[in-house]
């Protein structure tokens, strides 16, 4: 029976037993695997159990670091949590390369976050506007218990306005607010403020004849589209100093600029190009306990802000200097949320020497740019497969359960050969036969 009532009420052992019974014919292999991934430190395990509901075990990702990131004159060792081989190696390689050329230069353009109360209104717009003008100070005042602390620290609600969306959807309006949440990502703060605005809106509307029965509040929620919470990261060097695989100087710079032009002109390429950027971005976002889904959604919406989906980065040559820059919307936090809870997140932030949210924005954008530099360099240089498959070779060998000696022999064998799963399998079988014959 795959349907189950009250699953969440079962104990962890009961949940595992049900999973095994239902999907593994009572074979205990799955249960044993869940157990192996369990932490033996029961306090640590309890912490992870309680992050989400229905936890049955842990799902590990490698936690790595990319050293030598020179960002705004300071050297960082950047923590990255990611499963894809070659991402960390590529970030480290680009970091080292640009370290010798002045490093990454970043600028936080703005840090404003936003959220909306979405509602329908069926009366005259003028009456609604007059109502919102009258009640805005009341909405802000009623939210004071939520905003007081944030305001003390210099943040809070920055604006609250009525937005007419009736051209997009009949009778659709928003109360749209902007916020400064300092070092916090601010999701809870923003959502609490919005729900309070909606509540006051309801209370005040009930007192006015022009509003009664004329409106329907649908929802109140922050937006992950943050085009005014943006950071820029840039690297540059004289064209003559640029070297990408066998390409040098002007040839390298021109080909790089061409690759970026393609990513701006074609959605197929733009998507993959931006995916390469997000390889670096997500890994740091995840390691520092931030919400990578929010960052992903916001980044792709930003990439499409002109009406067509484009590259998030740009490259150009000016006065003999090659420039490569990335502009990204990044609503990040270095306090609150998982940053206080997950021991590895705390450690990651310590490795980054406890950055502010603004500094973290610069670090994340720099890693995204580094990742993009490495990917585009491989593509226009020797091609992606050579480097990629070398890293992948180890994964294939692990999958095929090669021992350490076999890995050594086959890594040397494939040094100058194309790596494919079937080739590796064949060579491993051949090696095993030879070894067995010799023993
Ligand atoms: C692979 O994870 C990322 C790349 O495809 C990015 C790109 O094509 O620019 C290599």
């Amino acid at each position: 029976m795959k349907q189950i009532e009250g699953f969440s009420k079962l104990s962890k052992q009961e949940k595992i037993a049900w999973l095994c019974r239902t999907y593994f014919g009572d074979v205990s292999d799955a249960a044993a695997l869940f157990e192996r991934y369990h932490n033996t430190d029961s306090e640590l395990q309890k912490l992870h159990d309680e992050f989400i509901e229905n936890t049955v075990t842990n799902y590990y990702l490698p936690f790595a670091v990319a050293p030598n990131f020179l960002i705004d004159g300071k050297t960082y060792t950047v923590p990255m949590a990611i499963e894809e081989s070659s991402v960390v190696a590529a970030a480290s390689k680009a970091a080292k390369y640009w370290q010798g050329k002045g490093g990454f230069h970043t600028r936080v353009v703005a840090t404003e976050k936003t959220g909306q109360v979405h509602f329908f209104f069926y009366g005259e717009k003028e009456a609604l506007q007059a109502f919102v003008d009258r009640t805005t100070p009341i909405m802000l005042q009623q939210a004071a218990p939520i905003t007081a602390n944030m305001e003390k620290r210099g943040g809070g609600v920055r604006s609250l306005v009525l937005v007419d969306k009736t051209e997009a959807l009949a009778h659709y309006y928003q109360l749209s607010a902007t916020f400064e949440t300092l070092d916090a990502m601010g999701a809870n703060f923003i959502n609490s403020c919005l729900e309070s605005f909606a509540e006051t809106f309801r209370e005040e509307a009930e007192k006015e004849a022009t509003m009664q029965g004329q409106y329907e509040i649908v929802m109140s929620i922050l937006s992950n589209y943050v085009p005014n919470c943006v950071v820029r990261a840039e690297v540059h060097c004289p064209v003559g100093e640029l070297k990408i695989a066998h390409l040098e100087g002007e040839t390298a710079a021109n080909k790089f600029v061409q690759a970026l032009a393609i990513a701006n002109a074609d959605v197929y390429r733009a998507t993959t190009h931006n995916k390469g950027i997000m390889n670096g971005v997500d890994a740091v976002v995840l390691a520092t306990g931030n919400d990578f889904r929010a960052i992903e959604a916001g980044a792709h919406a930003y990439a499409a802000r002109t009406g067509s989906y484009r590259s998030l980065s740009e490259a150009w040559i000016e006065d003999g200097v090659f420039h490569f820059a990335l502009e990204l919307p990044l609503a990040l936090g270095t306090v609150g949320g998982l940053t206080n809870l997950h021991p590895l997140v705390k450690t990651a932030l310590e490795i980054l020497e406890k950055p502010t949210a603004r500094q973290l924005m610069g670090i994340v954008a720099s890693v995204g740019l580094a990742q993009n530099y490495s990917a585009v360099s491989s593509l226009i240089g020797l091609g992606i497969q050579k480097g990629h498959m070398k890293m992948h070779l180890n994964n294939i060998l692990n999958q095929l359960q090669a021992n350490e000696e076999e890995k050594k022999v086959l890594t040397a064998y494939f040094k100058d050969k194309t790596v494919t799963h079937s080739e590796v399998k064949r060579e491993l079988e051949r090696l095993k036969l030879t070894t067995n014959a010799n023993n």
Side-chain angles (χ1 to χ4, degrees):
M1 263 286 279
K2 287 185 186 159
Q3 260 182 354
I4 180 164
E5 286 287 323
F7 184 74
S8 65
K9 305 263 176 347
L10 300 180
S11 71
K12 191 197 275 186
Q13 285 319 317
E14 287 167 337
K15 285 178 183 131
I16 293 174
W18 179 83
L19 275 176
C20 290
R21 255 194 335 270
T22 313
Y23 292 98
F24 301 94
D26 235 351
V27 192
S28 60
D29 284 6
L33 192 67
F34 289 160
E35 190 54 42
R36 270 173 59 204
Y37 274 86
H38 238 210
N39 206 292
T40 48
D41 176 339
S42 59
E43 245 177 73
L44 196 65
Q45 185 55 51
K46 187 166 179 295
L47 191 71
H48 286 73
D49 286 351
E50 290 175 3
F51 284 151
I52 58 169
E53 305 78 29
N54 295 345
T55 310
V56 291
T57 189
N58 303 308
Y59 182 97
Y60 295 156
L61 277 184
F63 178 103
V65 292
N68 299 317
F69 264 94
L70 179 61
I71 303 171
D72 301 324
K74 183 170 169 177
T75 301
Y76 292 91
T77 302
V78 184
M80 299 175 81
I82 188 161
E83 86 300 345
E84 185 175 331
S85 53
S86 71
V87 167
V88 177
S92 306
K93 195 171 163 201
K96 193 92 208 283
Y97 181 79
W98 287 105
Q99 188 185 36
K101 297 183 174 359
F104 296 80
H105 310 275
T106 75
R107 181 167 63 87
V108 172
V109 181
T111 57
E112 185 181 276
K113 287 148 193 169
T114 176
Q116 290 77 28
V117 177
H118 303 268
F119 66 100
F120 290 95
F121 181 70
Y122 305 101
E124 291 299 318
K125 183 183 169 188
E126 291 66 30
L128 175 63
Q129 186 66 63
F131 170 76
V132 171
D133 289 346
R134 181 181 76 70
T135 50
T136 297
I138 308 172
M139 287 193 266
L140 292 172
Q141 212 216 319
Q142 293 290 92
I146 305 164
T147 56
N149 266 342
M150 188 63 91
E151 272 169 20
K152 250 187 240 152
R153 287 183 276 133
V157 184
R158 288 290 185 257
S159 68
L160 179 58
V161 295
L162 176 69
V163 179
D164 182 345
K165 300 287 291 182
T166 52
E167 277 197 13
L169 180 65
H171 308 295
Y172 171 34
Y173 291 88
Q174 297 174 345
L175 275 179
S176 187
T178 60
F179 303 86
E180 172 55 61
T181 60
L182 307 169
D183 285 334
M185 193 272 184
N188 282 333
F189 171 74
I190 294 173
N191 288 333
S192 299
C193 286
L194 293 168
E195 288 188 3
S196 164
F197 298 155
E199 192 49 39
T200 311
F201 184 109
R202 266 191 211 99
E203 284 167 10
E204 293 301 313
E206 289 315 302
K207 297 179 191 162
E208 283 199 20
T210 48
M211 294 295 293
Q212 279 171 21
Q214 295 288 359
Y215 72 93
E216 277 177 280
I217 294 180
V218 179
M219 59 191 157
S220 310
I221 185 74
L222 95 172
S223 174
N224 292 123
Y225 183 47
V226 282
N228 290 322
C229 186
V230 167
V231 61
R232 264 186 86 83
E234 186 182 326
V235 288
H236 47 78
C237 72
V239 165
E241 285 180 16
L242 200 64
K243 187 165 171 7
I244 298 171
H246 58 286
L247 309 168
E248 289 193 17
E250 219 171 309
T251 318
N254 284 335
K255 202 161 178 190
F256 202 99
V257 171
Q258 276 177 340
L260 270 284
I262 290 170
N264 260 326
D266 174 63
V267 66
Y268 288 92
R269 177 57 202 146
T271 306
T272 320
H273 179 93
N274 289 342
K275 189 272 183 185
I277 294 171
M278 301 316 283
N279 273 346
V281 169
D282 282 348
V284 187
V285 167
L286 198 53
T288 56
N290 279 282
D291 180 345
F292 65 91
R293 287 87 56 209
I295 298 300
E296 281 280 342
H300 297 296
Y302 195 68
R305 68 192 180 284
T306 58
S308 47
Y309 186 90
R310 289 164 180 263
S311 161
L312 286 161
S313 59
E314 50 184 333
W316 70 100
I317 298 164
E318 197 176 315
D319 300 331
V321 177
F322 168 77
H323 297 260
F324 182 39
L326 170 65
E327 196 173 287
L328 260 190
L330 286 176
L332 297 174
T334 53
V335 297
L338 260 200
T339 58
N340 295 338
L341 284 175
H342 197 302
L344 271 179
V345 167
K346 277 194 221 167
T347 307
L349 290 168
E350 273 165 31
I351 295 171
L352 290 173
E353 299 176 72
K354 302 204 170 109
T356 61
R358 293 172 73 95
Q359 284 168 328
L360 186 59
M361 286 168 80
I363 294 166
V364 170
S366 299
V367 178
L369 186 66
Q371 210 70 51
N372 193 208
Y373 179 78
S374 275
V376 174
S377 295
S378 297
L379 292 169
I380 65 171
L382 298 173
I384 206 79
Q385 281 312 85
K386 225 180 171 87
H388 211 79
M389 290 313 276
K390 284 270 133 50
M391 296 290 293
H392 194 48
L393 173 62
N394 202 42
N395 284 345
I396 300 176
L397 287 169
N398 281 338
Q399 237 175 54
L400 297 172
Q401 296 179 338
N403 64 32
E404 287 311 310
E405 187 52 33
E406 288 163 347
K407 278 192 204 170
K408 217 159 101 188
V409 174
L410 291 177
T411 304
Y413 175 84
F414 279 102
K415 211 170 167 58
D416 53 1
K417 293 181 188 62
T418 307
V419 177
T420 65
H421 193 277
S422 52
E423 278 295 311
V424 176
K425 192 160 179 259
R426 193 169 52 229
E427 283 312 314
L428 181 61
E429 278 160 8
R430 207 194 316 259
L431 180 63
K432 279 188 193 297
L433 281 178
T434 329
T435 315
N436 289 342
N438 289 343
N439 287 338

